[in-house]
């Protein structure tokens, strides 16, 4: 499904090791998703979007969004004919949401629960 641009779950422990240089002291990855070459990390402190750019993917942008900057979010579950679930996140000062698409195999309710835990606290 990655060929269609949809995210799927990756092991959070592996993501913790792979992205250790991005994490602050004691920061823990709670969930991680892979979208072709890009990665979405939900840590206990922030949301990290890893955007590999260019043909080779050597150039990478790391976008860090503290949970306190998220004003609201929405999830759209997969349907019968539309097999993808979507996540939309609005960040303070930005009118357009960040949108990510997940395969039906991803528990979008888990994603929502993670955001609820950190954004609503």
């Amino acid at each position: 499904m990655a060929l269609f641009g949809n995210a799927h779950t990756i092991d959070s422990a592996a993501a913790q090791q792979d992205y250790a240089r991005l994490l602050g002291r004691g920061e823990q990855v709670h969930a991680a998703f892979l979208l072709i070459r890009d990665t979405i990390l939900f840590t206990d402190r922030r949301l990290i979007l890893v955007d590999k750019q260019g043909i080779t993917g050597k150039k990478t942008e790391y976008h860090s969004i503290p949970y306190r900057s998220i004003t609201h979010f929405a999830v759209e579950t997969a349907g019968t004919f539309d097999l993808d679930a979507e996540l939309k996140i609005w960040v303070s000062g930005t009118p357009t949401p960040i949108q990510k698409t997940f395969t039906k195999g991803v528990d979008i309710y888990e994603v929502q629960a993670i955001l609820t835990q950190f954004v609503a606290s």
Side-chain angles (χ1 to χ4, degrees):
M1 287 301 266
L3 293 176
F4 297 107
N6 300 332
H8 63 275
T9 305
I10 58 175
D11 181 59
S12 58
Q16 181 83 29
Q17 287 184 327
D18 292 344
Y19 295 99
R21 294 180 68 191
L22 293 178
L23 303 174
R25 181 174 297 143
E27 186 173 12
Q28 295 293 310
V29 175
H30 282 265
F33 301 91
L34 183 65
L35 174 59
I36 303 178
R37 297 184 305 176
D38 299 342
T39 305
I40 305 166
L41 304 173
F42 291 90
T43 78
D44 56 346
R45 300 179 189 170
R46 60 196 164 133
L47 174 64
I48 303 171
L49 305 175
V50 181
D51 181 16
K52 301 255 181 177
Q53 301 174 353
I55 295 172
T56 63
K58 288 186 179 185
K59 183 176 180 180
T60 306
E61 178 180 58
Y62 301 97
H63 193 112
S64 178
I65 304 168
Y67 291 119
R68 68 181 177 276
S69 298
I70 297 174
T71 59
H72 64 287
F73 59 90
V75 294
E76 180 180 301
T77 60
T80 304
F81 299 107
D82 180 10
L83 301 178
D84 304 325
E86 293 184 11
L87 170 66
K88 295 178 185 175
I89 299 173
W90 284 265
V91 178
S92 179
T94 307
T96 307
I98 297 168
Q99 297 184 39
K100 298 296 177 185
T101 304
F102 296 81
T103 61
K104 192 171 184 177
V106 171
D107 183 358
I108 197 68
Y109 295 106
E110 177 187 356
V111 174
Q112 178 175 307
I114 292 167
L115 279 169
T116 299
Q117 177 182 354
F118 294 119
V119 172
S121 62

